[in-house]
Amino acid sequence: MTKKMVCIECPKSCLISVDIENCKVAKVTGAKCPRGVKYALAEAVTPARLFTATVIAEGLDLKLIPVRTDKPIPKKDIFRAVEEIRKLRIGKPVKAGETIVENFLGLGIKLLATREAVKGGCKNV
Amino acid sequence: MNKRDLVVVGGGPAGMAAAVAAHENGVKDILLVERDQYLGGILNQCIHTGFGLDYFKELLTGPEYADRFIKKIRAIPDIEISLRSFVVRLAGDRTVTYLKPGGMFHVRPKALIMATGCRERTREMIHIPGTRPAGIFSAGLAQKLINIEGLLPGKEVVIIGSGDIGLIMARRFTLEGAKVKAILEIQPATRGLARNVVQCVEDFDIPIYFNHKVLKIGGRDRVEKVTVAKVDAAMKEVPGTEVVIDCDTVLVSVGLIPENEMIEMAGVDIDKRTNSPVSKEVNTTSIPGIFVCGNSFKVYDYVDSVTADSELAGRLAAEYIRGRA
Ligand code: SF4
């Protein structure tokens, strides 16, 4: 059996084929880089996506803090992730890359802020 | 009149890369003006991933990509950053006039780099008839409302055009609890990247219709429906294929166009079809000493390429300044 997929790891969008024989991956073709091979192997078994969203900020200069997971989460957990994000609030200043939740959804994955926010008001130079 | 070696207009990825590169190439007196209160430009509202693999060899979100350059540029004291500064006039001798809380300022640099980005094509540019109710947004504006302001523009959405921002917003609306009822593309294939069709549309089973066009937008005060039909190879409506889709919101995602009114005002030759400066080489214009980079030079697919080409603009400007000294 051959699974065909578009690699979503970078904008080049390579078309990758994964040949599966006896329930094992026999060959991966079409990926232009190792990142794509890794993606294809995972996509053939458990599709997962890096999850991005925004968290409501309180008392900071931004209304919303953009966030992402540090690793892809299983596709089936995406709406659970959305529910969880809605409950969160960020009230302390954050830096890009700072951990917001250590063990997001109990998946052993971190939720990271992707933009800096400082205390109240508008930020001038 | 203030004098400077280099003025950069625009604090998005293009302007920041150009300013940093000019500095690395010996320009020590740089002013960067940005109309927003933050650096980063459009990247700040692009909270999804897909940036940085070429340039940083790392997969980043838009705000993270911007953050790398914001840190870099803030660490260079020779680059003065003027936020909330809106350029209102540009003269052929490179004099820049800008408004900023507190007054109006004039500065005349030895070289000028314009990095003003692009804007979205609008409904008017694609001629959709019908009424003019509330609820029609460009995809990028909807992105700003959701990702920066925390406002959901509507609950039942039809997206016209399948540009990348439209595809990305289809996912964003879905995750925020709205229903994306259709993406309509008049061409037989998407204009966006295949990766965005996979992870934004197919992942969420959002219906995408190719060879379809909008005949009419209906609704009195608020959008109520759109009427769509199939088109043939000549883009003509196929009779009997009309369908009405109820919705309260229409997003228009039909591409981008460089923003170049300022250099046009200064007398730079502009290609009326693409809105890019007429030029044989990347980043140069018909007026020596005025450079244009990033999406205001031409609309790029990847920010990584914007950065690379804008660094070149920084080097060109540095050479130009050296040549005049
Ligand atoms: S295989 Fe590599 S180059 Fe191709 S899309 Fe995936 S990450 Fe990009």
Side-chain angles (χ1 to χ4, degrees), chain A residues 6 8-13 35 49-50 52-54 61-64 66 68 75 78-79 82 86 96 114-115 122-125, chain B residues 37-38 44 47-50 53-54 59 61 63-64 67 81 83-84 146-150 172 175-176 193-195 198-199 203 302:
Chain A
V6 174
I8 61 168
E9 289 290 306
C10 91
K12 295 202 179 74
S13 302
R35 215 185 162 91
R49 301 284 180 258
L50 268 182
T52 58
T54 53
D61 66 327
L62 302 178
K63 292 178 188 154
L64 302 167
R68 69 167 176 123
K75 243 164 83 169
I78 286 179
F79 281 95
V82 171
R86 288 219 175 98
T114 58
R115 188 175 173 190
C122 98
K123 193 170 74 170
N124 288 311
V125 182
Chain B
Q37 56 178 315
Y38 297 100
N44 286 329
I47 63 162
H48 52 279
T49 58
L53 266 188
D54 270 345
L59 186 64
T61 62
E64 288 169 300
D67 188 68
I81 298 163
L83 298 175
R84 299 199 283 164
I146 295 181
N147 291 346
I148 304 284
E149 302 297 335
R172 201 72 192 98
L175 290 177
E176 288 298 323
L193 299 168
R195 71 193 292 265
V198 172
Q199 62 181 350
D203 272 7
Y302 315 136

Short mmCIF file of all heavy atoms in Angstrom, two decimals, chain A residues 6 8-13 35 49-50 52-54 61-64 66 68 75 78-79 82 86 96 114-115 122-125, chain B residues 37-38 44 47-50 53-54 59 61 63-64 67 81 83-84 146-150 172 175-176 193-195 198-199 203 302:
data_model
loop_
_atom_site.label_atom_id
_atom_site.label_comp_id
_atom_site.label_asym_id
_atom_site.label_seq_id
_atom_site.Cartn_x
_atom_site.Cartn_y
_atom_site.Cartn_z
N VAL A 6 1.00 15.44 1.38
CA VAL A 6 1.73 16.69 1.17
C VAL A 6 2.44 17.01 2.48
O VAL A 6 1.81 17.07 3.53
CB VAL A 6 0.78 17.83 0.80
CG1 VAL A 6 1.53 19.15 0.73
CG2 VAL A 6 0.08 17.55 -0.52
N ILE A 8 3.75 19.17 5.32
CA ILE A 8 3.34 20.49 5.79
C ILE A 8 4.42 21.13 6.66
O ILE A 8 4.19 22.13 7.32
CB ILE A 8 2.02 20.42 6.57
CG1 ILE A 8 2.16 19.53 7.80
CG2 ILE A 8 0.89 19.94 5.68
CD1 ILE A 8 0.99 19.64 8.77
N GLU A 9 5.61 20.56 6.66
CA GLU A 9 6.66 21.05 7.54
C GLU A 9 7.24 22.40 7.10
O GLU A 9 7.74 23.16 7.91
CB GLU A 9 7.78 20.03 7.65
CG GLU A 9 7.39 18.79 8.44
CD GLU A 9 7.24 19.08 9.92
OE1 GLU A 9 8.17 19.62 10.53
OE2 GLU A 9 6.17 18.78 10.46
N CYS A 10 7.22 22.64 5.81
CA CYS A 10 7.69 23.95 5.36
C CYS A 10 6.92 24.32 4.10
O CYS A 10 6.24 23.49 3.52
CB CYS A 10 9.21 23.96 5.15
SG CYS A 10 9.73 23.54 3.49
N PRO A 11 7.01 25.58 3.67
CA PRO A 11 6.15 26.01 2.56
C PRO A 11 6.44 25.32 1.22
O PRO A 11 5.69 25.49 0.28
CB PRO A 11 6.44 27.51 2.46
CG PRO A 11 6.99 27.89 3.79
CD PRO A 11 7.76 26.70 4.25
N LYS A 12 7.50 24.54 1.12
CA LYS A 12 7.79 23.89 -0.16
C LYS A 12 6.75 22.84 -0.52
O LYS A 12 6.58 22.48 -1.68
CB LYS A 12 9.18 23.28 -0.15
CG LYS A 12 10.25 24.34 -0.03
CD LYS A 12 11.60 23.86 -0.53
CE LYS A 12 12.61 24.98 -0.41
NZ LYS A 12 13.04 25.22 0.99
N SER A 13 6.03 22.33 0.48
CA SER A 13 4.90 21.43 0.25
C SER A 13 5.24 20.23 -0.65
O SER A 13 4.55 19.96 -1.62
CB SER A 13 3.71 22.18 -0.36
OG SER A 13 3.31 23.25 0.46
N ARG A 35 13.55 16.35 7.45
CA ARG A 35 12.38 16.79 8.19
C ARG A 35 11.11 16.18 7.61
O ARG A 35 10.20 15.78 8.32
CB ARG A 35 12.32 18.31 8.06
CG ARG A 35 11.80 18.99 9.25
CD ARG A 35 11.65 20.47 9.03
NE ARG A 35 10.77 20.88 10.09
CZ ARG A 35 11.22 21.29 11.26
NH1 ARG A 35 12.49 21.41 11.49
NH2 ARG A 35 10.35 21.59 12.20
N ARG A 49 -0.27 17.60 14.64
CA ARG A 49 -0.08 18.97 14.16
C ARG A 49 0.48 19.85 15.27
O ARG A 49 0.05 19.73 16.42
CB ARG A 49 -1.43 19.59 13.73
CG ARG A 49 -2.17 18.84 12.65
CD ARG A 49 -1.56 19.07 11.29
NE ARG A 49 -2.26 18.37 10.24
CZ ARG A 49 -1.83 17.23 9.67
NH1 ARG A 49 -0.74 16.65 10.11
NH2 ARG A 49 -2.52 16.67 8.70
N LEU A 50 1.37 20.76 14.90
CA LEU A 50 1.73 21.79 15.86
C LEU A 50 0.47 22.62 16.07
O LEU A 50 -0.21 22.97 15.10
CB LEU A 50 2.84 22.69 15.32
CG LEU A 50 4.27 22.31 15.65
CD1 LEU A 50 5.22 23.33 15.07
CD2 LEU A 50 4.51 22.17 17.15
N THR A 52 -1.44 26.02 17.28
CA THR A 52 -1.25 27.44 17.62
C THR A 52 -2.61 28.06 17.94
O THR A 52 -3.63 27.67 17.39
CB THR A 52 -0.60 28.24 16.47
OG1 THR A 52 -1.41 28.13 15.30
CG2 THR A 52 0.79 27.74 16.15
N ALA A 53 -2.60 29.02 18.85
CA ALA A 53 -3.83 29.69 19.26
C ALA A 53 -3.44 30.97 20.00
O ALA A 53 -2.27 31.36 20.00
CB ALA A 53 -4.65 28.77 20.15
N THR A 54 -4.42 31.61 20.63
CA THR A 54 -4.12 32.76 21.48
C THR A 54 -4.74 32.55 22.86
O THR A 54 -5.78 31.90 22.99
CB THR A 54 -4.70 34.06 20.90
OG1 THR A 54 -6.10 33.87 20.65
CG2 THR A 54 -4.02 34.47 19.61
N ASP A 61 0.17 44.52 28.03
CA ASP A 61 0.01 45.46 26.92
C ASP A 61 -0.68 44.85 25.71
O ASP A 61 -1.14 45.56 24.83
CB ASP A 61 1.36 46.06 26.52
CG ASP A 61 2.31 45.04 25.92
OD1 ASP A 61 2.24 43.86 26.34
OD2 ASP A 61 3.11 45.40 25.06
N LEU A 62 -0.74 43.52 25.65
CA LEU A 62 -1.47 42.86 24.56
C LEU A 62 -2.78 42.29 25.10
O LEU A 62 -2.85 41.90 26.26
CB LEU A 62 -0.64 41.71 23.99
CG LEU A 62 0.75 42.02 23.43
CD1 LEU A 62 1.43 40.73 22.96
CD2 LEU A 62 0.65 43.02 22.27
N LYS A 63 -3.80 42.25 24.24
CA LYS A 63 -5.07 41.64 24.67
C LYS A 63 -4.95 40.12 24.65
O LYS A 63 -5.57 39.43 25.44
CB LYS A 63 -6.20 42.07 23.73
CG LYS A 63 -6.54 43.54 23.85
CD LYS A 63 -7.63 43.91 22.86
CE LYS A 63 -7.81 45.42 22.86
NZ LYS A 63 -8.33 45.93 21.60
N LEU A 64 -4.18 39.64 23.70
CA LEU A 64 -4.03 38.20 23.52
C LEU A 64 -2.56 37.85 23.39
O LEU A 64 -1.80 38.59 22.78
CB LEU A 64 -4.73 37.75 22.23
CG LEU A 64 -6.22 38.04 22.09
CD1 LEU A 64 -6.66 37.82 20.65
CD2 LEU A 64 -7.03 37.16 23.03
N PRO A 66 -0.17 35.12 21.69
CA PRO A 66 -0.14 33.95 20.82
C PRO A 66 0.68 32.84 21.46
O PRO A 66 1.69 33.11 22.13
CB PRO A 66 0.54 34.48 19.55
CG PRO A 66 1.30 35.70 19.97
CD PRO A 66 0.60 36.26 21.17
N ARG A 68 1.92 28.38 21.17
CA ARG A 68 2.01 27.15 20.37
C ARG A 68 2.49 26.01 21.23
O ARG A 68 3.03 26.23 22.32
CB ARG A 68 2.95 27.35 19.20
CG ARG A 68 4.40 27.49 19.64
CD ARG A 68 5.27 27.35 18.40
NE ARG A 68 6.66 27.54 18.68
CZ ARG A 68 7.60 26.62 18.41
NH1 ARG A 68 7.26 25.46 17.92
NH2 ARG A 68 8.85 26.89 18.65
N LYS A 75 -3.86 14.84 16.04
CA LYS A 75 -4.96 15.57 15.41
C LYS A 75 -6.26 15.44 16.19
O LYS A 75 -7.02 16.39 16.29
CB LYS A 75 -5.16 15.03 13.99
CG LYS A 75 -4.91 16.05 12.94
CD LYS A 75 -4.72 15.41 11.58
CE LYS A 75 -6.01 15.10 10.88
NZ LYS A 75 -5.76 14.72 9.46
N ILE A 78 -7.09 18.13 18.92
CA ILE A 78 -7.08 19.56 18.61
C ILE A 78 -8.24 20.32 19.27
O ILE A 78 -8.03 21.37 19.87
CB ILE A 78 -7.05 19.79 17.07
CG1 ILE A 78 -5.66 19.44 16.55
CG2 ILE A 78 -7.41 21.23 16.73
CD1 ILE A 78 -5.46 19.59 15.06
N PHE A 79 -9.44 19.76 19.23
CA PHE A 79 -10.56 20.51 19.82
C PHE A 79 -10.52 20.49 21.35
O PHE A 79 -10.98 21.43 21.99
CB PHE A 79 -11.90 20.04 19.24
CG PHE A 79 -12.14 20.65 17.88
CD1 PHE A 79 -11.80 19.97 16.72
CD2 PHE A 79 -12.64 21.95 17.77
CE1 PHE A 79 -11.97 20.56 15.47
CE2 PHE A 79 -12.81 22.55 16.53
CZ PHE A 79 -12.48 21.85 15.37
N VAL A 82 -8.35 23.33 22.12
CA VAL A 82 -9.06 24.60 22.01
C VAL A 82 -9.83 24.89 23.30
O VAL A 82 -9.79 26.00 23.84
CB VAL A 82 -10.02 24.58 20.81
CG1 VAL A 82 -10.91 25.80 20.81
CG2 VAL A 82 -9.24 24.49 19.51
N ARG A 86 -9.20 28.08 26.08
CA ARG A 86 -10.23 29.07 26.46
C ARG A 86 -10.24 29.34 27.95
O ARG A 86 -10.61 30.42 28.38
CB ARG A 86 -11.61 28.54 26.06
CG ARG A 86 -11.82 28.57 24.59
CD ARG A 86 -13.25 28.98 24.21
NE ARG A 86 -13.26 29.08 22.76
CZ ARG A 86 -13.71 28.11 21.96
NH1 ARG A 86 -14.27 27.04 22.46
NH2 ARG A 86 -13.64 28.25 20.66
N ALA A 96 8.85 35.68 24.43
CA ALA A 96 8.66 34.68 23.38
C ALA A 96 9.45 33.44 23.74
O ALA A 96 10.61 33.53 24.12
CB ALA A 96 9.11 35.24 22.04
N THR A 114 4.51 32.84 22.20
CA THR A 114 5.34 33.11 21.03
C THR A 114 5.61 34.60 20.84
O THR A 114 6.26 35.00 19.89
CB THR A 114 4.70 32.54 19.74
OG1 THR A 114 3.41 33.12 19.56
CG2 THR A 114 4.57 31.03 19.81
N ARG A 115 5.09 35.43 21.76
CA ARG A 115 5.35 36.86 21.63
C ARG A 115 5.52 37.46 23.02
O ARG A 115 4.87 37.00 23.97
CB ARG A 115 4.17 37.53 20.92
CG ARG A 115 4.40 38.97 20.58
CD ARG A 115 3.25 39.56 19.77
NE ARG A 115 3.45 40.99 19.62
CZ ARG A 115 2.54 41.81 19.14
NH1 ARG A 115 1.36 41.35 18.74
NH2 ARG A 115 2.78 43.11 19.05
N CYS A 122 0.33 50.94 26.72
CA CYS A 122 0.95 50.69 25.43
C CYS A 122 2.45 50.87 25.56
O CYS A 122 2.94 51.69 26.31
CB CYS A 122 0.35 51.58 24.35
SG CYS A 122 1.27 53.04 23.96
N LYS A 123 3.17 50.06 24.80
CA LYS A 123 4.61 49.98 24.95
C LYS A 123 5.28 50.99 24.02
O LYS A 123 5.13 50.94 22.82
CB LYS A 123 5.07 48.56 24.60
CG LYS A 123 6.48 48.27 25.01
CD LYS A 123 6.78 46.80 24.87
CE LYS A 123 6.93 46.43 23.40
NZ LYS A 123 7.44 45.07 23.22
N ASN A 124 6.03 51.91 24.60
CA ASN A 124 6.78 52.85 23.76
C ASN A 124 8.25 52.50 23.80
O ASN A 124 8.69 51.74 24.64
CB ASN A 124 6.56 54.28 24.26
CG ASN A 124 5.17 54.75 23.94
OD1 ASN A 124 4.71 54.63 22.81
ND2 ASN A 124 4.49 55.27 24.94
N VAL A 125 8.98 53.10 22.88
CA VAL A 125 10.42 52.79 22.83
C VAL A 125 11.11 53.36 24.06
O VAL A 125 10.87 54.50 24.41
CB VAL A 125 11.06 53.40 21.58
CG1 VAL A 125 12.53 53.01 21.53
CG2 VAL A 125 10.36 52.90 20.35
N GLN B 37 2.59 50.64 16.91
CA GLN B 37 3.31 50.84 18.17
C GLN B 37 4.26 49.68 18.47
O GLN B 37 4.95 49.69 19.49
CB GLN B 37 2.34 51.04 19.32
CG GLN B 37 1.34 49.94 19.47
CD GLN B 37 0.42 50.16 20.65
OE1 GLN B 37 0.88 50.53 21.72
NE2 GLN B 37 -0.86 49.94 20.46
N TYR B 38 4.28 48.67 17.59
CA TYR B 38 5.20 47.54 17.74
C TYR B 38 5.97 47.33 16.45
O TYR B 38 5.47 47.62 15.37
CB TYR B 38 4.44 46.25 18.04
CG TYR B 38 3.68 46.27 19.33
CD1 TYR B 38 2.31 46.52 19.34
CD2 TYR B 38 4.33 46.04 20.55
CE1 TYR B 38 1.60 46.54 20.53
CE2 TYR B 38 3.63 46.06 21.73
CZ TYR B 38 2.27 46.31 21.73
OH TYR B 38 1.58 46.33 22.90
N ASN B 44 3.12 39.68 13.34
CA ASN B 44 2.52 39.59 14.67
C ASN B 44 1.13 38.98 14.65
O ASN B 44 0.69 38.41 15.63
CB ASN B 44 2.47 40.98 15.32
CG ASN B 44 3.85 41.42 15.77
OD1 ASN B 44 4.68 40.59 16.14
ND2 ASN B 44 4.10 42.72 15.74
N ILE B 47 -0.11 34.00 13.64
CA ILE B 47 0.29 33.21 14.81
C ILE B 47 0.57 31.75 14.48
O ILE B 47 1.03 31.00 15.32
CB ILE B 47 -0.79 33.29 15.91
CG1 ILE B 47 -2.09 32.67 15.39
CG2 ILE B 47 -1.02 34.74 16.36
CD1 ILE B 47 -3.05 32.30 16.50
N HIS B 48 0.28 31.35 13.23
CA HIS B 48 0.52 29.96 12.81
C HIS B 48 2.00 29.74 12.53
O HIS B 48 2.78 30.69 12.43
CB HIS B 48 -0.31 29.67 11.55
CG HIS B 48 -0.10 30.69 10.47
ND1 HIS B 48 -0.75 31.91 10.47
CD2 HIS B 48 0.70 30.69 9.39
CE1 HIS B 48 -0.37 32.60 9.41
NE2 HIS B 48 0.52 31.90 8.74
N THR B 49 2.38 28.47 12.35
CA THR B 49 3.77 28.16 12.04
C THR B 49 3.98 28.14 10.53
O THR B 49 3.04 28.21 9.76
CB THR B 49 4.17 26.77 12.58
OG1 THR B 49 3.28 25.81 12.01
CG2 THR B 49 4.08 26.72 14.08
N GLY B 50 5.23 28.03 10.14
CA GLY B 50 5.54 27.95 8.71
C GLY B 50 6.64 28.92 8.32
O GLY B 50 6.98 29.05 7.16
N LEU B 53 12.16 28.24 8.35
CA LEU B 53 12.95 27.03 8.06
C LEU B 53 14.15 27.32 7.17
O LEU B 53 15.22 26.74 7.35
CB LEU B 53 12.08 25.95 7.42
CG LEU B 53 11.48 24.94 8.38
CD1 LEU B 53 10.81 23.81 7.62
CD2 LEU B 53 12.55 24.37 9.32
N ASP B 54 14.01 28.20 6.20
CA ASP B 54 15.14 28.53 5.34
C ASP B 54 16.16 29.38 6.07
O ASP B 54 17.35 29.11 6.05
CB ASP B 54 14.67 29.29 4.09
CG ASP B 54 14.34 28.34 2.95
OD1 ASP B 54 14.75 27.16 3.05
OD2 ASP B 54 13.68 28.76 1.99
N LEU B 59 11.49 25.75 12.59
CA LEU B 59 10.11 26.09 12.27
C LEU B 59 9.55 27.05 13.33
O LEU B 59 9.52 26.72 14.50
CB LEU B 59 9.27 24.81 12.24
CG LEU B 59 7.82 24.97 11.79
CD1 LEU B 59 7.74 25.44 10.35
CD2 LEU B 59 7.07 23.65 11.94
N THR B 61 6.65 30.39 14.46
CA THR B 61 5.42 31.13 14.18
C THR B 61 5.82 32.55 13.74
O THR B 61 6.98 32.95 13.91
CB THR B 61 4.54 31.25 15.43
OG1 THR B 61 5.27 31.98 16.42
CG2 THR B 61 4.16 29.87 15.99
N PRO B 63 5.04 35.56 15.10
CA PRO B 63 5.57 36.40 16.18
C PRO B 63 6.98 36.01 16.62
O PRO B 63 7.79 36.87 16.96
CB PRO B 63 4.56 36.17 17.33
CG PRO B 63 3.31 35.74 16.65
CD PRO B 63 3.72 34.98 15.41
N GLU B 64 7.29 34.70 16.58
CA GLU B 64 8.65 34.28 16.97
C GLU B 64 9.68 34.74 15.95
O GLU B 64 10.79 35.15 16.30
CB GLU B 64 8.70 32.75 17.09
CG GLU B 64 7.97 32.22 18.30
CD GLU B 64 7.82 30.71 18.24
OE1 GLU B 64 7.19 30.19 17.28
OE2 GLU B 64 8.32 30.03 19.14
N ASP B 67 10.20 38.29 16.55
CA ASP B 67 10.91 38.48 17.82
C ASP B 67 12.43 38.37 17.65
O ASP B 67 13.18 39.12 18.27
CB ASP B 67 10.40 37.46 18.84
CG ASP B 67 10.93 37.73 20.23
OD1 ASP B 67 10.53 38.76 20.81
OD2 ASP B 67 11.75 36.93 20.73
N ILE B 81 14.83 53.76 16.50
CA ILE B 81 13.52 53.26 16.08
C ILE B 81 12.45 54.25 16.49
O ILE B 81 12.36 54.62 17.66
CB ILE B 81 13.24 51.88 16.71
CG1 ILE B 81 14.30 50.87 16.23
CG2 ILE B 81 11.85 51.38 16.35
CD1 ILE B 81 14.36 49.62 17.08
N LEU B 83 8.54 54.61 16.61
CA LEU B 83 7.25 53.93 16.45
C LEU B 83 6.13 54.96 16.34
O LEU B 83 6.33 56.15 16.55
CB LEU B 83 7.00 52.99 17.63
CG LEU B 83 8.03 51.86 17.78
CD1 LEU B 83 7.75 51.07 19.05
CD2 LEU B 83 8.02 50.94 16.56
N ARG B 84 4.95 54.49 16.02
CA ARG B 84 3.77 55.34 15.85
C ARG B 84 4.08 56.54 14.95
O ARG B 84 3.65 57.66 15.20
CB ARG B 84 3.24 55.79 17.21
CG ARG B 84 2.83 54.57 18.06
CD ARG B 84 1.91 54.93 19.17
NE ARG B 84 2.60 55.55 20.28
CZ ARG B 84 2.00 56.22 21.23
NH1 ARG B 84 0.69 56.40 21.21
NH2 ARG B 84 2.70 56.74 22.21
N ILE B 146 -9.32 38.62 14.97
CA ILE B 146 -9.33 37.41 15.80
C ILE B 146 -8.05 37.30 16.62
O ILE B 146 -8.08 37.08 17.83
CB ILE B 146 -9.50 36.14 14.93
CG1 ILE B 146 -10.88 36.16 14.26
CG2 ILE B 146 -9.34 34.88 15.78
CD1 ILE B 146 -11.17 34.94 13.40
N ASN B 147 -6.89 37.45 15.98
CA ASN B 147 -5.62 37.13 16.64
C ASN B 147 -5.04 38.25 17.50
O ASN B 147 -4.27 38.00 18.40
CB ASN B 147 -4.57 36.72 15.61
CG ASN B 147 -4.90 35.39 14.95
OD1 ASN B 147 -5.75 34.66 15.44
ND2 ASN B 147 -4.23 35.07 13.87
N ILE B 148 -5.40 39.49 17.18
CA ILE B 148 -4.85 40.61 17.96
C ILE B 148 -5.92 41.21 18.87
O ILE B 148 -5.68 41.50 20.03
CB ILE B 148 -4.31 41.72 17.01
CG1 ILE B 148 -3.28 41.15 16.03
CG2 ILE B 148 -3.77 42.91 17.81
CD1 ILE B 148 -1.91 40.88 16.58
N GLU B 149 -7.13 41.40 18.34
CA GLU B 149 -8.17 42.08 19.10
C GLU B 149 -9.07 41.12 19.89
O GLU B 149 -9.83 41.56 20.75
CB GLU B 149 -9.05 42.93 18.16
CG GLU B 149 -8.29 43.99 17.37
CD GLU B 149 -7.64 45.04 18.26
OE1 GLU B 149 -8.13 45.26 19.39
OE2 GLU B 149 -6.63 45.63 17.84
N GLY B 150 -9.05 39.84 19.53
CA GLY B 150 -9.90 38.89 20.24
C GLY B 150 -11.37 39.01 19.89
O GLY B 150 -12.24 38.75 20.73
N ARG B 172 -8.74 28.99 11.38
CA ARG B 172 -8.83 29.84 12.58
C ARG B 172 -10.29 30.03 13.00
O ARG B 172 -10.64 29.95 14.17
CB ARG B 172 -8.16 31.19 12.26
CG ARG B 172 -7.73 31.97 13.45
CD ARG B 172 -6.53 31.37 14.14
NE ARG B 172 -6.38 32.05 15.42
CZ ARG B 172 -6.82 31.57 16.58
NH1 ARG B 172 -7.36 30.37 16.64
NH2 ARG B 172 -6.69 32.26 17.68
N LEU B 175 -11.59 26.78 14.51
CA LEU B 175 -11.11 26.55 15.88
C LEU B 175 -11.80 27.50 16.87
O LEU B 175 -11.99 27.16 18.03
CB LEU B 175 -9.59 26.74 15.96
CG LEU B 175 -8.75 25.66 15.27
CD1 LEU B 175 -7.26 26.01 15.35
CD2 LEU B 175 -9.00 24.29 15.88
N GLU B 176 -12.18 28.68 16.40
CA GLU B 176 -12.85 29.63 17.29
C GLU B 176 -14.35 29.35 17.39
O GLU B 176 -15.09 30.13 17.99
CB GLU B 176 -12.61 31.06 16.82
CG GLU B 176 -11.17 31.56 17.03
CD GLU B 176 -10.75 31.60 18.50
OE1 GLU B 176 -11.59 31.93 19.36
OE2 GLU B 176 -9.59 31.26 18.79
N LEU B 193 -0.71 27.55 -0.80
CA LEU B 193 0.24 26.45 -0.74
C LEU B 193 -0.50 25.16 -0.41
O LEU B 193 -1.46 25.15 0.35
CB LEU B 193 1.27 26.72 0.37
CG LEU B 193 2.12 27.98 0.22
CD1 LEU B 193 2.88 28.26 1.51
CD2 LEU B 193 3.09 27.85 -0.95
N ALA B 194 0.02 24.04 -1.00
CA ALA B 194 -0.61 22.74 -0.76
C ALA B 194 -0.66 22.42 0.73
O ALA B 194 -1.63 21.84 1.22
CB ALA B 194 0.15 21.66 -1.52
N ARG B 195 0.37 22.81 1.46
CA ARG B 195 0.39 22.50 2.90
C ARG B 195 -0.79 23.15 3.62
O ARG B 195 -1.30 22.62 4.60
CB ARG B 195 1.71 22.93 3.53
CG ARG B 195 1.86 24.44 3.63
CD ARG B 195 3.28 24.84 3.98
NE ARG B 195 3.68 24.47 5.31
CZ ARG B 195 3.61 25.25 6.37
NH1 ARG B 195 3.10 26.46 6.27
NH2 ARG B 195 4.04 24.84 7.54
N VAL B 198 -3.94 21.12 3.06
CA VAL B 198 -3.96 19.93 3.91
C VAL B 198 -4.32 20.30 5.35
O VAL B 198 -5.29 19.82 5.92
CB VAL B 198 -2.59 19.21 3.89
CG1 VAL B 198 -2.55 18.09 4.92
CG2 VAL B 198 -2.32 18.67 2.50
N GLN B 199 -3.53 21.19 5.95
CA GLN B 199 -3.66 21.37 7.40
C GLN B 199 -4.75 22.37 7.79
O GLN B 199 -5.13 22.43 8.96
CB GLN B 199 -2.32 21.76 8.01
CG GLN B 199 -1.78 23.08 7.48
CD GLN B 199 -0.43 23.43 8.09
OE1 GLN B 199 0.00 22.79 9.02
NE2 GLN B 199 0.21 24.45 7.56
N ASP B 203 -7.98 18.92 6.97
CA ASP B 203 -8.00 18.48 8.37
C ASP B 203 -9.35 18.73 9.01
O ASP B 203 -9.75 18.03 9.95
CB ASP B 203 -6.94 19.24 9.19
CG ASP B 203 -5.58 18.55 9.15
OD1 ASP B 203 -5.44 17.58 8.40
OD2 ASP B 203 -4.67 19.00 9.88
N TYR B 302 7.30 33.56 0.76
CA TYR B 302 7.89 33.18 2.04
C TYR B 302 8.59 34.37 2.69
O TYR B 302 9.35 35.08 2.03
CB TYR B 302 8.94 32.08 1.87
CG TYR B 302 8.53 30.94 0.98
CD1 TYR B 302 9.41 30.43 0.04
CD2 TYR B 302 7.26 30.38 1.08
CE1 TYR B 302 9.04 29.37 -0.78
CE2 TYR B 302 6.88 29.33 0.27
CZ TYR B 302 7.77 28.83 -0.67
OH TYR B 302 7.41 27.80 -1.47
#
